[in-house]
Amino acid sequence: MREISTKLLEDAGVNKLPSLPHILIKLLSACRDDDVSFDKVNEIISKDAALSAKIISVANSPVYCHARNLTSFKHTLMYLGLDTIKSIAITASVQQFFSKYSTHKNKFLRDFWKHALSCAVIARSLAKLTSYKCAEEAYLAGLLHDIGKLVLENNANFDYNKIDHTNHPSEELLAIEKQNFNISHDELGGRLLTKWDITESISDAARFHHAEIEEIQEAHQLTKIINLANKLALNTSEQNNSSFEYAHRLFDLSESLINDMVNSANEEVSKVAKSLNIDIGNDDTKQVELAQEVRDIAYSKGTHLPLEENESHSIF
């Protein structure tokens, strides 16, 4: 019998990663506008880890091999074109429509989204503070650092989304993951990003975002940035216990500077959540809205979608 971690790596596809329905609804709405700008599309997609991973994976495929040399995420979107982006948005929405959904999954995706975006915003600020060459790469690495969690959440053999990820100590969470999957989300994420041809610096940043400070003292600067950004984005006592020490030892940053940066990031994430109609509290209504969006698309294309289905289908 194959080891479960090996099966996870073999079966994990970027197209299977779930997004918050709020994001998909916003993107579908934008894609219906014939005059939508790439700035608007970039604004939506760059707030979601799963959609960003899908875009980069497509751009890195043999069909679009030249996209690897593009200098920004927005340029990648422009290279792919709106038709390709619309196809990715609709396919992701259909797959989400057919996936199993629950209150636990909804809460997991909201918490995941908030932490990933917080980490991305903080990473971008850290990149600027520490003179890292590409703040946008730091933002993307922060957005993707926990991508392994989305893969584990999709596994049907363990109720991963029932764990309180917001308040669970990292070392306990990693232990639970290794016990049930024989791999932790940081290792899985790093290996998957490598598999999907995402840059080595971003893959390593994901792989080592829970590493102890002694392990990353000589690491690539981006690895240090994401490791610290992850700690600063956590809503547990870990932030108070170790993040200030890490900030000082890694980059000689003061506690007051870190506090100001985290507060600014929290304000930015709150504004983004409000703009996307994301209620960090309990709100399952967006899945219903997404279902209606998918049905409208299907009917406009003359395609009938069943009321209930367990597997993903394409409507093209």
Side-chain angles (χ1 to χ4, degrees):
M1 182 176 179
R2 288 182 299 172
E3 186 178 305
I4 187 171
S5 60
T6 302
K7 190 176 189 309
L8 278 171
L9 283 163
E10 291 177 353
D11 295 347
V14 69
N15 61 316
K16 297 179 181 178
L17 301 178
S19 297
L20 264 180
H22 309 65
I23 307 289
L24 294 173
I25 290 169
K26 204 77 171 180
L27 183 57
L28 287 174
S29 177
C31 286
R32 281 200 299 268
D33 182 359
D34 292 334
D35 298 321
V36 66
S37 67
F38 281 103
D39 284 330
K40 181 63 176 179
V41 173
N42 179 52
E43 179 185 343
I44 298 169
I45 294 178
S46 65
K47 302 300 187 296
D48 185 76
L51 285 172
S52 295
K54 289 169 187 175
I55 291 293
I56 295 171
S57 178
V58 170
N60 286 344
S61 67
V63 177
Y64 296 99
C65 58
H66 296 297
R68 297 167 191 251
N69 300 320
L70 297 176
T71 57
S72 72
F73 191 75
K74 178 184 173 183
H75 289 156
T76 300
L77 294 175
M78 294 174 69
Y79 184 85
L80 293 179
L82 283 176
D83 286 343
T84 298
I85 295 168
K86 289 178 182 179
S87 295
I88 292 171
I90 294 172
T91 302
S93 300
V94 171
Q95 290 171 334
Q96 191 108 339
F97 170 73
F98 284 135
S99 68
K100 293 181 179 179
Y101 207 74
S102 66
T103 300
H104 289 296
K105 186 182 184 79
N106 189 28
K107 183 180 185 306
F108 170 84
L109 289 178
R110 286 199 312 273
D111 291 345
F112 177 92
W113 176 85
K114 182 181 179 183
H115 175 69
L117 185 58
S118 296
C119 186
V121 173
I122 292 171
R124 182 177 58 202
S125 296
L126 283 172
K128 294 176 180 178
L129 279 173
T130 60
S131 301
Y132 184 63
K133 59 182 180 181
C134 185
E136 183 174 342
E137 182 187 29
Y139 177 93
L140 184 60
L143 195 67
L144 298 178
H145 80 287
D146 264 345
I147 206 77
K149 285 187 175 183
L150 292 183
V151 177
L152 296 181
E153 195 280 330
N154 263 338
N155 188 277
N157 298 320
F158 180 71
D159 291 328
Y160 186 70
N161 58 35
K162 291 184 179 180
I163 300 173
D164 185 0
H165 291 260
T166 303
N167 297 304
H168 224 79
S170 295
E171 62 272 14
E172 292 183 15
L173 176 62
L174 297 177
I176 291 172
E177 292 171 348
K178 290 178 181 178
Q179 179 181 352
N180 289 277
F181 302 104
N182 293 329
I183 194 169
S184 56
H185 72 270
D186 48 354
E187 176 66 19
L188 177 62
R191 292 170 69 177
L192 286 174
L193 292 175
T194 298
K195 176 183 175 182
W196 298 333
D197 283 332
I198 294 175
T199 64
E200 183 179 356
S201 56
I202 293 179
S203 300
D204 283 347
R207 184 178 286 109
F208 296 109
H209 74 265
H210 282 299
E212 296 297 329
I213 192 168
E214 291 76 17
E215 301 176 66
I216 60 171
Q217 285 280 17
E218 305 301 323
H220 190 282
Q221 186 176 347
L222 184 61
T223 295
K224 298 178 184 179
I225 287 173
I226 300 306
N227 187 288
L228 177 57
N230 174 65
K231 281 183 169 54
L232 295 173
L234 290 171
N235 292 322
T236 69
S237 59
E238 288 182 62
Q239 178 175 321
N240 294 327
N241 291 339
S242 63
S243 58
F244 296 133
E245 177 190 354
Y246 271 52
H248 178 70
R249 291 178 62 183
L250 290 175
F251 300 116
D252 196 26
L253 299 176
S254 68
E255 184 174 327
S256 60
L257 185 60
I258 290 298
N259 279 326
D260 289 344
M261 183 177 61
V262 171
N263 289 335
S264 177
N266 289 337
E267 290 178 6
E268 181 173 342
V269 171
S270 294
K271 288 180 181 178
V272 171
K274 185 176 181 179
S275 71
L276 294 172
N277 297 318
I278 296 174
D279 181 2
I280 303 302
N282 292 323
D283 175 20
D284 289 318
T285 59
K286 289 299 177 181
Q287 184 67 8
V288 176
E289 290 184 35
L290 179 62
Q292 187 58 54
E293 290 275 355
V294 171
R295 290 174 190 276
D296 290 346
I297 292 169
Y299 290 135
S300 70
K301 291 178 176 288
T303 305
H304 174 68
L305 295 177
L307 291 175
E308 294 183 2
E309 185 62 66
N310 292 325
E311 298 180 354
S312 299
H313 295 270
S314 172
I315 62 176
F316 297 107

